[in-house]
Every structure is written in C-alpha cells, then in structure tokens.
Amino acid sequence: MSDLLSIALELGLKEDEYSRIVKILGRQPTKTEIAMYSVMWSEHCAYKHSRKLLSKLPKSSPYVLQGPGENAGIINIGEDKAIALKMESHNHPSAVEPFQGAATGVGGIVRDIFTMGARPIASMNSLRFGNLSNPRQRYLIDGVVDGIAQYGNCIGVPTVGGEIYFEDAYAENCLVNAMCVGLLEGEKIIMSGAAGPGNLVILMGSKTGRDGIGGCSVLASEEFDETSANKRPSVQVGNPFMEKLLIEAVLELKGKDLLVALQDFGAAGITCSSCEMSSKGEAGMELDLDKVPQREPNMAAYEMMMSESQERMMAVVTPEKLEQFMEVCDKWEVPASVVGKVTDDGMVTIRHKGRLEAQLPSKSLTDDIPIYCPEAKEPPYIKEVQSFDPLSLKEPDDLNEALLSILGSPDVASKKWVYSQYDHMVQTNTLLLPGSDAAVVGIKGTNKAIAITTDCNGRHCYLDPYEGTKEAVAEAARNIVCCGGKPLAVTDCLNFGNPEKPHIFWQFSQSIEGMIEACKALDTPVVSGNVSFYNESFGEAIYPTPTIGMVGIIEDIKHITSIAFKEGDAIILLGETKAELGGSQYLKVIHNKISGKPPAVDLEKEKSLQEAVLAAIKQGLVSSAHDSSDGGLAIALAKCCIAGGVGAWISLEYNNLSFAQALFSESNSRVIISCKADNAQKIQALCENNKITCQNIGQATGQSLSINNTINLPLGKLRDVYEKSLEKQIVGGKS
Amino acid sequence: MKFGVLVFPGSNCDTDCHWAVSELGQEVDYIWHHQTDFNGYDCLILPGGFSYGDFLRSGAIARFSPVMKKVKQYAQTGGLIIGICNGFQILLEAGLLPGAMKRNDSLKFICRHVNLKTENNQTSFTNKFTHGQVVSIPIAHNEGSYFADEATLKVLKENNQIIFRYCSETGNTSEKYCPNGALENIAGICNKEGNVLGMMPHPERAMSDMLGSSDGRMVFESIIAASLQGRGKRDE
C-alpha cells in the first residue's frame, strides 16, 4: 500500500474514495489535500449516505425565505422581520467529554444563526442519556447541562426549553442536539457565497490551534469502541466570551454593510469554509496559511486546514471597506487578519511557507462527492415487538401508585433541575417559562411572538420509525398550537446508527418517509437540519431519533396559552383515546417493557384537531390547552393541575377500553382544553365543524385530582413527585 | 431624566436595562467601557452579564476598565449608581460597595423568580416600596452568595445598608428561603451615603406581568422619583 493511501485510510477515507480523488486530480494528492478531502467527504460534512433521501423533504412554503443549504433556514414572520432556525447534533464530542462537547455544540449552532445576520434570541436542546441509576449517566447529564449553561448563559442567549429522555439505548451514545433561533430585521440576509475576484478573505475570532483535528471525520463519522476515550483530543474547547464578542461584531458589520459573505467555522475548520464559500459563490480562493493567527508554533499545513478550534469565522470583504471592517473588529476586540483573496478560477489554493500545499477544484470537495445508496432491510425485531399485545400484561392493582410512578419517572418528571441552571429570561422576551408545551418568545416592537419546540419519542421511533417520525412532527405542531401559535417550519436533527448497515438504513429511510408525509400534511417544510450517523457502540445502535425542531408564529401575544388549569374551568378532551399502550411510559415504567405497536397518527385528523384548537384559542374561548402525549391523559391532567395550582374532578367515559388504557394510552391527536363554563358549547360546536370528538370530562376545582373516583391524589403529593423526582435521581443518587 | 447603561465586553443585560428604562419613558444612552469623559447622566446602570468573560473572578477585570475611574468619581460626587448582578459584582470588586461574592452554595447557576423583602424603603432605589414589602424579581447567577466579615456586616446593619433579603412568599427571611447561601439572605445593599446600590436580582426582567412579574418597575420608578426630588447629583 502506498504511503499516501495509508494516510487516506487513517483519516477515514475509503480505498475507492482515494482512487476517485486521484482520478479527479489526474495526479497524486498531497498530504494536505488528502486531509482536506477526508474532512469534506466525511459523512458529517458530505451527507453522502443521506443526501439522496433528504432531497425529497418538502422545503418550501409562502413563509420560507431560505431553505436548506445555507448556515440556517429563514422564515418570514411579517412586519419586515424574519426568523432564522437551525438544529445540530454534538453527540460524539459530548459522549467523549460532556462539558466541552455540549458547550461547543451550543457555540456552533449559535454561530450558524448570527452568521446569517440574525440576532440569536433563543436556544433549545434535545438530550438523551442512559439510565440514571448508572453513575456514568449522572456524570454525563451533569456535564452536558453544565456545558450548555456555562456557554449559553455567558453569551446572553436564553435557553428557553427542550426535552430530555433516558433509555438504555443511549448509555454509550448520549445525544446532544442544540437548536438556535434568531431574529432578522430588515431585508438583508448575509450569505456564504464568496464573490468578487480580488475581494479579501479575512479570518476573524480565535486563533487556530491543534484542537479538534479530525473531529468530524474521526469522531463523528465512526462507531465507538473501547478506544473512544482516546479520542478526547479531537474534542474542541469553547470560549463563550469570544463568541459574545463575535455576535456583536458581526451584527455591527452587517448593520454597516461591510460584508460580502460570511461563514462560520464548523466541522472541518478552514477547509470547509474556504471550499464551501468558493463553491457556493462559483469562485475560487487563495489562502496563505502563514497569515493565519496560530495558537501554537510549528503547525503543519494539514493541521491548520483540519483544526476545529472554536469561535472562528471567515469573511469576504471588498478592499475599500477593509479599514472600516477592521475598526469594528478592533472595537469589539475581535482579532481579524487578511489571509487571502477571492479568485475566479474555481480552485481552492493553499500556500504555506512559500510552498503550494493544495490546489483543488472547490466543487470536487462539495458537490462531486461520493453518494451512497445503501441497502435497506427491515430488522427482525420489528415484527417481534409489533406483535406484542400490551393487554397480555396484568394491570396493576393500585392505579394511584402507577400514576405517581409514571409522573416521577425521569422522562416525565419536571426538568426544573435542568432549566433552572439555564438563563432562560435574558433578553426579556420569555413569555412562557420552561415547562410549557412550547417555549414562547416575544418579538419586541410588535404584538407577535414565536413558539418553539423540539420533539421526538425515541421509543416510538424504535418500534416503528415511520409512525414514530410522523408523530414527532405532529406532536411538535400540536405543542405550538396549544400555546396559541401556527406551525411554520421545521429544522431537524436526525440521529441514527451506522448507515452502512441495512437495518439502520431501513430505520432511516422509514423515518424520512414519515417525515415527508407529516411535514407535507401539516404545511411545515424542513428549512434546515443535520444528520448524525454512527451513533453506535460495540455494534449496538441508539434508538432511531429524528428530533424535530419547530417554530410557529403567534399573531397576537394575547393568544398565548399555558397549560395551567384555572379554578372553576370546565375541562374538555378533544380527540379520541384508543387502545394504544404500545411503547408507552406505562409499559416502560410499570412493566419494564419497551414493546408493542406505537400509537398511529392520522394526519388528516391531526390537522383538523389543530385547526379547531387554534381557532378556539384565537376566538378567546380557551383558558388553558395541553396536548396529551407522554404518559397519557392521566399524566397530562396532573401536569395541568400542578401548573395551575388547582385540582380537578374528572369523569371519563372509556367504552371498550380498560381503565388503565383510558389513563395511560398515548394516542395521538388529543388536546385537553379548559375554559369558562359558558364557552364549552362554542368549543364543542367548533369541534363538530372540524369532525373532532369532544367530551366534557370535568371541572378544575379543589386541591386534588380525582378521576372516576378511582384516582384520588392530593395536589401537594402530585407536585412533590413531579417537581422533585429528577433532582433526587441525579443529585441524590451521587452518595 | 437621563440614564446611562455601561457596556463592557461580555455585558449581556445592557439592552434589557436600556429597554426597561425606555419603557418608563426615560432618556437613556449606552456608555462604552473606554469612555472616560461622559456627563449629563442622572443615574448609571451597571448591567448583568459576564464582563470580560468573568475570567479570574466575576467583575475582577471590569473594575480596571477605563470607564470605572469616571464611575468612581461619579459615585464620590453623589451620583446615583445601580449595579445589577454582574454590575453588583463589579461594584464590589471596585470597592464602591463592601463585601464579596462567592459561588452559589449549590455550585450551580440558578435562574428563577425569587421573593425579596424590602428592608429599607428610605433610599433613592426603594422609595416606591413599602417597608417590609415582599416582591417577586428573578435571579440568574452562578456567583451570588454575598459575604462580608462580621465588622462589615455590623456597619451594614447600623447604617440600614441592607436593602433586600431573600424570603418566603410571606416575608420569612429564614435561611431555608435563601437560594444561594448568601450571608443573612442578603440580596441587595447600598453604600453608606445611599447613592450606590448593588443587587443580584434583575429588576429589568420584572417589568410586566407577561414576564412573570412587574415588581421590578418600582426600582426604576423609585430612581426617577428620587431624581425628580433632586437626590443624586446630575453630573455636569
């Protein structure tokens, strides 16, 4: 084997990919060039296993100003304002080093937002860990939450919500999906395409060091095994203070119209930015690495090209505006150096110490990449789990105890311990505090607000990736509607195992099919996103976890609706409860079983339900709304009571179901509404028009939750279990 | 009247403070940390955030910022200054207020609404409060556990310099209602002269019921009232 080929293999390229490089160039590549291809053609940067399927996702609607392909997607919210949104994974780094892994995950996604010229106004995160009884999992969650808190709090972007689930399947591969939303004012969006030969290429932000080399190729595009801890040097280290300065500097540069193009350094550092900016701008770029500010002496060209040092950006500026550009950077104490210029030859040319280190056609790194269409094959477990009948299990004698066990299980219990560590109020726009169905962030200077949510039930996706993904989209939209918003767009973060395995690729393709269908039905195009494959350790993959981040618009802040019951309210259940205990919290917590057919989603019914709920809210008929999902109706009712500080007297008709099914089934397309007694009839009429089942099930009153006189639990007890369980299991378990 | 909001690199509540006093119809400017020659302000606000990344220790670098020389002069001549969260930490580091800030006893950042008891309503910052009034204002900090030695604490008490204490909904200031381990539940203090206030809770985040509380307005309204009465010296 030639030396060059063995370097290529070591950097994660395959033998035929190496041959492809030789063919493209018509010569042997240099070591630096191999390094550049290895990162640009890595799964992480090139989406070579997912590109084909992703292209089928719906991408446009009248609201979409920018679809996938830029640093973030952008949707129009009117009044000359727009919202940028993007979600991204930082799973592999977080599994290896939780604090820095999660912190730099936040830094990366926030940079994607302000790179477009949007001020970051809210962050969310979707996390998955293994069972908390394991001390390593407690270490991981503690580190990840601390990392998100330290980074997010420092840069002054509120972390307003998210979700956390615990399953054994994530024990070796925790998931850290970070989402950020930004506000654009006026028409100008900063794009990333380098334009104008002779324009200057500027590197701004932190110096370049040896950290994070191979982060995307070695760390994020391979499975884990016993050597994973050795990959710690591949994790980057964050500096949120520099990020905060960059935010302000970039927004001032945008305001003064000093930028031709801008791109943040994500995975693959200088390589990725120079290639992508050149390729998108139909241009080339010449860089002199001697001009790159370096943190360490004697860095080789390939090290600089692959470094993933954080808080760096690449800007293209006209020579006339250089002085003004540098003034803004000086003001914010952001280091900036001219490192090269834009050319018209379509080549990325890299020089170091007078030597030509690389000269590659930019398109060959971004567009002419190897595309794989792996084989998809249904895994054998699917038939087995789907044939399981939950009714074969004996129902517990004490359903009060069962309810408390589910309410206090870490998936369901309040995440207060987590979100109280996040500054969720800075920027003074947080109009619904964490713990609601969706986060609600006001837009100053207007009467509008946006609702943001992330959703994915990994268990359901494992049991049926198609229905599970449909559900993730449907539930995200339902959450936004329950807060008074109209769902507008999706950013996704698709977490799967090794796509080269047919069973995994089957999960992925089923999931994409489900997403296409649901996003079309609910008019929520996918405007940005990220795929994270190879979430596997010792041959075991995580549950397929296609996290859906969704943003909706609340036209008037008076429509904002919380989940809190109000004393005296009538309680109405919209939608039907079916015999759908498959994959439920009830099965998991009470019977220690993850099996069965997960709840199905009838998208037409879902849409009618959401229209009815939003219409009722807009007509001012509703005092609270909450979707019934994880844990079923009983858990949803308990949460509405706890939030409102009032009990409820409930009488359910459940026909052919057992009482446990009525309480804990996780059927989709259900919403609990509370309203003034006078409004109940009007809501019923709305439901009839939309052909939605609607039952008056009781009243918010007293200081305990009573369901059919069988469930009888004092509010104080419910609150205690709901609010304190998670902290007890994380902190209490340490001794 | 006219407020000035200081901006250090890493300040992140500067725009919130700016917004809060604008909401009350007041004039307001940002004052950059390099500025040394500003004048014409009736009150300076040192906002929250992570000035200079809070490297070394919260507020430890900001105190050396060029603007702080002028802030000290402003304080000495009787100008009104309010430091909120990181702003309070900077005032402590700069010696404009006595005592020091430790990390929260939980060693975690804490962001939530807390209840505060108004211990002294005879100041330029609390004249709109009633004595002993319990208000709800959020905190968001990692280093908010106020500490002072016994002699300093004695002086604080003798001069009525303790302005706010953490408490229960009904105003009980027992230790168990302290979120961060602060000495005697101290959430806010002023200097002996009464023209410099430091508080960990964020009144600018409690400006309307939509944000969870409007109790924070009273802090700024008090400053406006005091200024109209000629308290605090307009720096010309």
Side-chain angles (χ1 to χ4, degrees):
Chain A
M1 198 188 299
S2 79
D3 282 356
L4 290 171
L5 175 58
S6 58
I7 291 171
L9 295 180
E10 208 172 295
L11 291 175
L13 285 164
K14 296 188 166 47
E15 200 165 341
D16 52 344
E17 292 175 341
Y18 177 77
S19 315
R20 192 182 170 116
I21 294 169
V22 174
K23 207 171 143 199
I24 287 173
L25 298 179
R27 60 173 168 82
Q28 295 285 328
T30 66
K31 195 178 166 191
T32 303
E33 288 172 337
I34 295 176
M36 290 170 73
Y37 278 107
S38 79
V39 287
M40 290 307 290
W41 285 10
S42 70
E43 183 59 45
H44 189 85
C45 293
Y47 294 88
K48 53 193 176 184
H49 288 93
S50 58
R51 220 177 245 219
K52 207 162 167 190
L53 285 178
L54 293 179
S55 66
K56 296 187 196 160
L57 288 167
K59 297 176 190 68
S60 56
S61 82
Y63 295 94
V64 177
L65 297 178
Q66 176 64 55
E70 278 290 333
N71 288 301
I74 296 179
I75 49 173
N76 191 352
I77 57 164
E79 298 186 43
D80 219 16
K81 291 183 168 52
I83 293 291
L85 64 153
K86 173 85 185 276
M87 182 159 42
E88 207 165 67
S89 63
H90 235 219
N91 306 336
H92 294 83
S94 304
V96 175
E97 209 294 285
F99 178 91
Q100 289 297 345
T104 53
V106 174
I109 199 65
V110 169
R111 272 197 304 287
D112 278 335
I113 297 302
F114 70 77
T115 302
M116 304 290 293
R119 176 169 287 281
I121 56 168
S123 287
M124 303 276 286
N125 52 76
S126 173
L127 312 176
R128 302 289 183 282
F129 301 97
N131 197 315
L132 282 174
S133 59
N134 175 336
R136 177 164 172 81
Q137 301 306 318
R138 299 198 293 271
Y139 156 76
L140 285 173
I141 186 172
D142 197 52
V144 164
V145 170
D146 205 11
I148 293 171
Q150 296 236 359
Y151 204 104
N153 297 349
C154 185
I155 58 175
V157 178
T159 304
V160 292
E163 48 167 7
I164 309 180
Y165 287 96
F166 304 88
E167 307 283 356
D168 289 335
Y170 302 108
E172 298 293 329
N173 291 85
C174 63
L175 300 187
V176 174
N177 294 176
M179 176 174 171
C180 187
V181 170
L183 177 67
L184 277 148
E185 311 222 28
E187 279 175 12
K188 197 164 165 52
I189 298 174
I190 307 174
M191 303 299 262
S192 62
N199 280 341
L200 304 170
V201 177
I202 296 175
L203 212 157
M204 56 192 289
S206 296
K207 291 181 178 177
T208 298
R210 287 194 171 95
D211 52 332
I213 290 178
C216 62
S217 49
V218 179
L219 200 54
S221 301
E222 276 179 21
E223 293 179 31
F224 280 171
D225 54 27
E226 47 282 283
T227 66
S228 299
N230 300 338
K231 291 177 176 168
R232 219 166 281 149
S234 298
V235 179
Q236 320 87 335
V237 177
N239 175 0
F241 176 55
M242 178 59 80
E243 179 104 341
K244 169 68 175 158
L245 299 180
L246 275 173
I247 295 176
E248 301 305 333
V250 164
L251 294 177
E252 187 168 334
L253 290 169
K254 179 204 170 192
K256 293 182 169 164
D257 198 18
L258 300 175
L259 293 162
V260 175
L262 186 69
Q263 164 101 322
D264 79 304
F265 281 30
I270 300 181
T271 301
C272 186
S273 312
S274 56
C275 298
E276 285 191 358
M277 292 181 87
S278 302
S279 174
K280 276 187 194 140
E282 305 291 334
M285 219 177 248
E286 245 179 64
L287 302 183
D288 182 354
L289 295 184
D290 297 322
K291 295 187 178 148
V292 173
Q294 293 156 46
R295 197 187 295 154
E296 305 167 62
N298 303 322
M299 285 184 72
Y302 84 92
E303 289 178 314
M304 274 187 263
M305 293 306 288
M306 288 176 76
S307 162
E308 291 188 8
S309 293
Q310 295 288 291
E311 292 88 23
R312 296 179 300 159
M313 318 193 72
M314 188 175 273
V316 173
V317 179
T318 61
E320 305 80 65
K321 288 184 176 169
L322 179 65
E323 204 183 316
Q324 278 175 284
F325 178 96
M326 288 299 184
E327 271 170 24
V328 173
C329 290
D330 284 348
K331 174 185 165 190
W332 290 102
E333 298 176 31
V334 169
S337 322
V338 177
V339 296
K341 62 174 197 277
V342 178
T343 61
D344 58 3
D345 61 2
M347 303 293 279
V348 174
T349 304
I350 308 292
R351 289 199 170 77
H352 186 220
K353 296 188 173 155
R355 260 185 59 181
L356 182 65
E357 284 284 345
Q359 190 157 42
L360 305 172
S362 63
K363 295 269 180 203
S364 76
L365 292 136
T366 57
D367 294 8
D368 300 337
I369 55 161
I371 301 279
Y372 299 111
C373 307
E375 185 195 351
K377 197 172 155 197
E378 183 179 305
Y381 80 84
I382 290 283
K383 290 225 157 55
E384 190 191 316
V385 294
Q386 292 196 0
S387 61
F388 171 75
D389 180 6
L391 285 181
S392 62
L393 298 169
K394 185 183 172 300
E395 289 184 0
D397 298 328
D398 188 344
L399 289 170
N400 282 292
E401 271 309 307
L403 192 156
L404 290 174
S405 301
I406 297 171
L407 189 66
S409 71
D411 286 353
V412 175
S414 164
K415 305 300 183 288
K416 205 174 191 171
W417 180 84
V418 175
Y419 66 71
S420 66
Q421 296 183 51
Y422 302 150
D423 188 341
H424 48 266
M425 301 179 193
V426 66
Q427 297 193 16
T428 50
N429 295 319
T430 310
L431 302 182
L432 269 188
L433 294 177
S436 315
D437 276 355
V440 173
V441 176
I443 306 293
K444 286 198 180 103
T446 74
N447 273 331
K448 293 179 179 177
I450 55 166
I452 318 165
T453 184
T454 63
D455 277 286
C456 182
N457 186 323
R459 263 173 299 119
H460 291 181
C461 290
Y462 163 73
L463 299 171
D464 185 340
Y466 172 75
E467 286 295 334
T469 307
K470 269 166 65 186
E471 176 187 77
V473 177
E475 194 184 327
R478 209 183 305 138
N479 284 335
I480 284 173
V481 165
C482 284
C483 291
K486 174 183 161 58
L488 289 186
V490 165
T491 178
D492 61 6
C493 192
L494 310 172
N495 310 274
F496 289 81
N498 179 348
E500 297 162 50
K501 297 181 180 171
H503 293 161
I504 299 294
F505 201 72
W506 180 85
Q507 291 177 336
F508 181 69
S509 54
Q510 287 287 303
S511 178
I512 297 291
E513 287 301 320
M515 199 160 122
I516 292 170
E517 205 167 301
C519 287
K520 278 186 181 162
L522 301 174
D523 295 327
T524 50
V526 182
V527 296
S528 59
N530 155 258
V531 181
S532 171
F533 281 135
Y534 300 97
N535 293 287
E536 284 199 28
S537 292
F538 306 103
E540 288 289 318
I542 56 160
Y543 287 163
T545 312
T547 310
I548 301 296
M550 197 181 278
V551 171
I553 181 81
I554 297 173
E555 290 294 344
D556 190 325
I557 50 174
K558 68 175 195 262
H559 299 152
I560 296 172
T561 306
S562 81
I563 72 167
F565 280 162
K566 321 270 182 298
E567 174 76 46
D569 273 356
I571 301 171
I572 300 176
L573 172 64
L574 276 58
E576 265 173 87
T577 305
K578 297 176 193 156
E580 294 184 310
L581 282 176
S584 62
Q585 288 291 350
Y586 164 82
L587 279 196
K588 176 182 167 184
V589 176
I590 307 298
H591 296 288
N592 196 22
K593 233 180 159 45
I594 292 172
S595 199
K597 235 185 191 6
V601 188
D602 177 338
L603 289 166
E604 219 170 290
K605 199 162 262 183
E606 181 72 43
K607 195 165 172 63
S608 315
L609 169 91
Q610 293 184 12
E611 281 168 3
V613 173
L614 192 55
I617 289 175
K618 284 186 166 176
Q619 289 172 29
L621 304 175
V622 173
S623 30
S624 80
H626 182 31
D627 90 307
S628 171
S629 54
D630 237 6
L633 193 56
I635 296 299
L637 287 166
K639 287 191 194 174
C640 297
C641 288
I642 294 166
V646 60
W649 187 88
I650 303 288
S651 165
L652 291 177
E653 278 174 40
Y654 48 97
N655 302 329
N656 308 324
L657 305 177
S658 74
F659 191 47
Q661 282 175 323
L663 295 178
F664 303 124
S665 164
E666 295 182 5
S667 296
N668 279 295
S669 311
R670 292 181 301 163
V671 168
I672 298 166
I673 279 181
S674 81
C675 64
K676 294 213 168 64
D678 306 347
N679 290 331
Q681 261 190 340
K682 289 181 201 156
I683 292 174
Q684 270 161 353
L686 256 173
C687 289
E688 266 169 46
N689 276 342
N690 279 274
K691 299 196 174 70
I692 293 297
T693 317
C694 167
Q695 309 175 46
N696 209 322
I697 59 171
Q699 196 185 20
T701 181
Q703 283 296 304
S704 62
L705 172 62
S706 157
I707 308 178
N708 291 27
N709 281 324
T710 306
I711 295 292
N712 280 300
L713 290 164
L715 191 57
K717 177 81 185 162
L718 290 170
R719 177 180 288 128
D720 214 45
V721 167
Y722 180 65
E723 290 185 349
K724 293 182 181 157
S725 292
L726 185 69
E727 180 170 358
K728 267 187 207 157
Q729 291 180 60
I730 296 173
V731 183
K734 265 180 188 163
S735 54
Chain B
M1 68 176 288
K2 194 168 177 186
F3 285 83
V5 177
L6 271 66
V7 183
F8 300 95
S11 293
N12 65 26
C13 302
D14 45 344
T15 48
D16 293 344
C17 289
H18 191 281
W19 167 76
V21 293
S22 307
E23 280 288 286
L24 297 175
Q26 303 305 311
E27 259 187 273
V28 55
D29 287 337
Y30 290 115
I31 300 174
W32 189 242
H33 65 118
H34 280 168
Q35 257 174 277
T36 50
D37 58 349
F38 58 84
N39 53 44
Y41 295 102
D42 301 293
C43 175
L44 299 182
I45 304 178
L46 275 68
F50 292 70
S51 52
Y52 298 91
D54 274 352
F55 291 129
L56 297 182
R57 199 170 58 240
S58 305
I61 301 179
R63 65 170 280 217
F64 294 109
S65 192
V67 76
M68 287 305 290
K69 252 189 206 149
K70 177 77 182 174
V71 170
K72 278 186 186 169
Q73 281 171 15
Y74 185 84
Q76 278 155 11
T77 54
L80 296 179
I81 299 177
I82 173 172
I84 300 164
C85 198
N86 193 229
F88 184 9
Q89 293 161 342
I90 296 169
L91 292 173
L92 291 172
E93 290 286 339
L96 287 171
L97 288 172
M101 213 56 86
K102 298 189 296 178
R103 279 192 75 181
N104 299 341
D105 56 0
S106 63
L107 301 181
K108 300 278 183 204
F109 191 97
I110 304 168
C111 176
R112 65 176 169 91
H113 277 270
V114 295
N115 293 305
L116 299 177
K117 186 174 183 183
T118 316
E119 298 285 9
N120 178 354
N121 70 336
Q122 303 292 310
T123 75
S124 299
F125 307 94
T126 51
N127 56 59
K128 293 281 174 187
F129 294 73
T130 56
H131 183 71
Q133 187 177 354
V134 176
V135 295
S136 167
I137 296 181
I139 54 168
H141 58 245
N142 207 340
E143 289 89 18
S145 179
Y146 179 78
F147 185 78
D149 59 26
E150 265 176 51
T152 308
L153 183 64
K154 193 162 162 260
V155 174
L156 284 176
K157 285 181 180 171
E158 280 168 4
N159 295 315
N160 262 328
Q161 287 172 253
I162 299 169
I163 309 300
F164 294 114
R165 278 197 166 99
Y166 302 108
C167 67
S168 72
E169 265 174 59
T170 54
N172 183 338
T173 51
S174 112
E175 222 173 89
K176 74 176 191 189
Y177 299 109
C178 185
N180 53 19
L183 179 71
E184 295 203 3
N185 290 30
I186 290 174
I189 58 169
C190 68
N191 62 350
K192 208 181 265 178
E193 295 73 22
N195 64 318
V196 179
L197 172 85
M199 63 189 292
M200 287 314 291
H202 289 266
E204 80 281 11
R205 297 186 183 188
M207 293 294 289
S208 75
D209 294 341
M210 296 269 328
L211 291 172
S213 166
S214 54
D215 293 346
R217 298 175 80 94
M218 284 191 290
V219 173
F220 300 108
E221 284 165 353
S222 297
I223 296 172
I224 295 165
S227 177
L228 288 175
Q229 289 161 16
R231 287 173 75 180
K233 190 180 151 201
R234 191 171 168 114
D235 175 65
E236 295 292 355

